[in-house]
Amino acid sequence: MKREDIRVCILRVGGTNCDAETQTAFEALGVQAEILHANDVVKRGNLMDYDALVFPGGFSFGDYVRAGAIWAKWLVAKLSKELKAFFDEERPILGICNGFQVLVEAGFLPAFDGITQYPEAALATNHPPGYHCRWVYLKHENRGKCVFTCNIQEGKVLRMPVAHAEGRFLFPKEKEELYLERLYDNDQLVFRYCDKNGNPADGVYPINPNGSFHDIAGICNPEGTVLGLMPHPERAFYWWQQPDWTRQTLMPFYGDGKLIFEGLIEYLEKKF
Amino acid sequence: MTENLYIRRDTPFPFYEINVLQASDQLLLDISRELGLGLNLQEMKALQQYFRRKGRNPTDVELQTFGQTWSEHCFHKTFKGVIKFNGKEIDSLFRTYIMRATREINAKWCFSVFDDNAGIIRFDKNWGIAVKVETHNHPSAIEPFGGAATGVGGVIRDILGVWANPIACTDVLGFGPLDYPYEKLPLGVKHPKYIFMGVVAGIGHYGNNMGIPTVNGAIYFDESYVGNVVVYCGCVGILPLKKFKRNAKPGDVIVLAGGRTGRDGIHGVTFASAELTEKSEEVSRPAVQIANPIEEEKLKRAIIAIRDLELASAITDLGGGGLSSAVGETAKRFNCGAVVYLEKVPLKYPGLAPWEIYISESQERMLLAVPPENLKRVLEIFQSEDVEATVIGEYTGDGVLRIFYMGEKVAEIDVPFLFEPPRAVRIAEYIPPKLEEPEFPEPENLTGVLMRLLASPNIASRENVVRTYDHEVKGNTVLKPLHGEHGGPSDAAVLKPLKDSWSGLAISCGMNPNYGKVDPYWMAASAIDEAIRNNVAVGGRRIALLDNFTWGNPEKPDRLGSLVRACEACYRFAKAFKTPFISGKDSLYNESPAGPVTPTLLITAVGVVPDIRITVSLDVKAPGDSIYLVGKTYHELGGSEYYRLMGFLGKTVPKVRPIQARKTFRAITRAIDLGLVSACHDLSEGGLAVAAAEMAFSGGYGLELDLRLVPAERVQRNDFLLFSESNSRFLVEVPSACEQDFKKLLSGVVHARIGRVTKEARLCVYGLGGNVVVDAAVGELLKAWKSFLGIYGEGL
């Protein structure tokens, strides 16, 4: 499909707060991006009018239970049919920060054998605890399955900010090794926290900002069409958003975050 | 309880008439105390006369309405009253000093100042910037988390209250020393560490949840803050000037939107207008509101949608005084009366008396005036955001406020009278403290002194606090509070608020409470200079100021005297710098069993950066570049962090020399515009040595400086040159290719090349004798700087 025909749905509820900058990123790349209140999408039943779906960052419904949990249950209750169709048709779904938490809570990730009724992973409270806002380095670990990053070289180091209190990716303790193996086997691992040179953080704070298992920052489903990540690509879109742009004499116009949005768009251009 | 004074009316709800007409002076005071009105005898007698004219007794709703509206918090009696000082009479501090500076500067870019919840300046042709800074000291002393969170929530609503979309928050905090001995804490005072943790968490909670970046701030530690925590919360918003509507008229309906009303925040303003006592905790806990940032986030979306469609004729927030303030003030502003039906107000739980509904300060509520033909659309918009909105009354044409509850008229007040409290007349006196300049030999190990200064509470890195605030959400933060890899302390934050414009906004602050112990006049002057120079250092100009006063009990002449001194300086220096005040707020009565607060004036500066691509950060960029010191160093160490470290206060605080300072600021701005500057940092706490260390470790290179080259007047000691806090000074990195132009540009401004950037990451300073007086690895300096809150951060 043609780029200008692509319609991205950026979904929001009360407490979502990164929708505007996510829209800016998509629009800068020449696609149509609309911010829709989830209530409206339910009322109009028009989710399938869109080619891609984004769950942006924020504190959906205040995240009062567990980050993302309330919105996830809300989605299951009110939109599960459309979401499943969206998922099954391999239209891309992106979850950033709170969106990642929602996708995990709703069973869309890691979704080893399709959407699950209960979450198979968790984004637990940071270790060390508390809200942290900082720029981190991410190593791209995907071998080509993830449609959002298939243009990014394996092993490339990207830079983006994180800002969350609940981003510690965890599997159930007893299934940790098994699930990790499956992530690798299915090529579902997308981003891991690393240092400037691409060496794994090995759980060391603040290189790994939240104590995530295996330094995991982002994963996709086995089909590669659903991506969730804690860092914010929309805040690393332009050069002037970088933390040290005043030090650089020659800055590329875009930051690394652009690669992810571009990957999604190119996938749609090719596949549909 | 003086029972025969209170006559219960025969209603199915608690409703009283108060026998004011026959009350003696003593009984009037008893009534004020027992109902928690916070009114003095003069004010109670004015009410007595008013109701005698009306030939009836007031109701509890009426008295409470007066108590709220006439409180220091809502009416600013001290700033608007008459002050007798040094044989002269000052007719309103506010008009004589603050507003006068603005009026005389008469900047055409001031769009709306001192009129509304927030000051508005022009950003460009179509857009305006709204700014407001609030104090939330009293609630934060009782309940740090809730107090600070609702402080942020309140100031964000002030911005919504002028139809602006909030884009950034600021916070400036003052705490007692974190290692304050428990046994010294007076009864009823909470430990600074507990307050610190709660306040920081509260601020992060609200801003982060609402998705508004917290981009600028400061933290000060002082013994006088042990019993009087200082919490300043600021918010900046942006609005299309064309959509700025305020033309409510009789017949417009009053819509209350947002959270429900409960018993939280009853008598918040009267509580904030009195000293804290050891009983404050039990007596005033209900005065602190409960925060729900998600409610406000939804409210914000609806309000911006209503603004864009121009469906409402006026808006205001519900803050101090709750409905009573919001309804009264809008009615007055639009020369209307109003009728309100309190039973329509949605409640959190049943059982509130009408007066409680009317004055409750429950959070996340806004009041809109809506022409009846737009009402349906407005209610639909609120509904689409899952926000409750209710019509509670309407504006009328007769200038009378009428309040009903379940068919019963519970109040009838003439709106003009509500805003004519008897003017306060207060006595002020100022006796300069008897202080001496300390005498002590120059320390041998100045490197060690610098290390200790970097690790001292008022200089050390705030990284562990700042990282708990989201400072990047919205993706507009061009210059972040923590700059670069090592989290260097930026002088100001720069935002790029518009998608299709390179124009930026620089936000900075200045505050020097320690100077106030020597002289509040020069404290105010220094705060203004600091706020402006922080702004100039990153590329800001066309600067507007906000003043926020935290002072002790103004009924005590010495407290008021120092307030007058500070206001005098505000007028003189704002005018000299042509930087108008656009908004402000005072918090008085900051006294606790631990004593009065040290006078604390916060100046917030908001400047414009014509193109964010010229923004300059503080980190040194390239070895070989020259380092210039711009501005003169004086022997001005009174109130300095260096003296504090050595155990002194001193006598000679930094002064501001406005003619020279303006020249310096202009030259720096020119140099930045011409791209001659690759790093710029202001000199403040800790002086030259601390500024140099910060520039070095933020950039990862070394500096080699020579004190013999420092332009100074009568400073003959290395330590004084290193640590003097003289105002209006910058440390500037200039690439060699730009040096000629830079020097030419700065002719007429005191400046000198005092050293260079070195590849080896060491800070090396040659003293007056030509010997090395400071020599340290930059990594060690960074470690010292990051150690202070680091230790507490982990222990917390």
Side-chain angles (χ1 to χ4, degrees), chain B residues 445-518:
Chain B
N445 180 1
L446 288 173
T447 308
V449 172
L450 174 58
M451 291 285 193
R452 280 164 62 205
L453 267 180
L454 284 169
S456 68
N458 286 335
I459 292 177
S461 170
R462 272 77 177 108
E463 176 160 1
N464 283 317
V465 171
V466 177
R467 293 235 184 265
T468 67
Y469 307 146
D470 195 335
H471 44 263
E472 313 212 42
V473 58
K474 292 186 187 294
N476 294 333
T477 317
V478 173
L479 195 63
K480 306 173 203 306
L482 301 168
H483 183 73
E485 203 170 326
H486 303 297
S490 290
D491 289 323
V494 176
L495 300 175
K496 180 184 174 299
L498 298 173
K499 246 189 251 188
D500 46 6
S501 160
W502 288 110
S503 299
L505 199 63
I507 304 165
S508 59
C509 64
M511 187 163 116
N512 304 92
N514 218 31
Y515 302 171
K517 294 173 189 165
V518 182

Side-chain angles (χ1 to χ4, degrees), chain B residues 107-152:
Chain B
K108 59 179 184 303
W109 43 269
C110 285
F111 180 79
S112 159
V113 291
F114 298 119
D115 273 347
D116 290 285
N117 304 37
I120 305 175
I121 51 174
R122 288 179 190 278
F123 182 58
D124 64 11
K125 215 170 80 214
N126 303 317
W127 294 88
I129 294 291
V131 199
K132 170 80 175 196
V133 180
E134 267 285 0
T135 48
H136 235 221
N137 304 342
H138 280 70
S140 303
I142 300 294
E143 211 280 87
F145 180 89
T150 54
V152 178

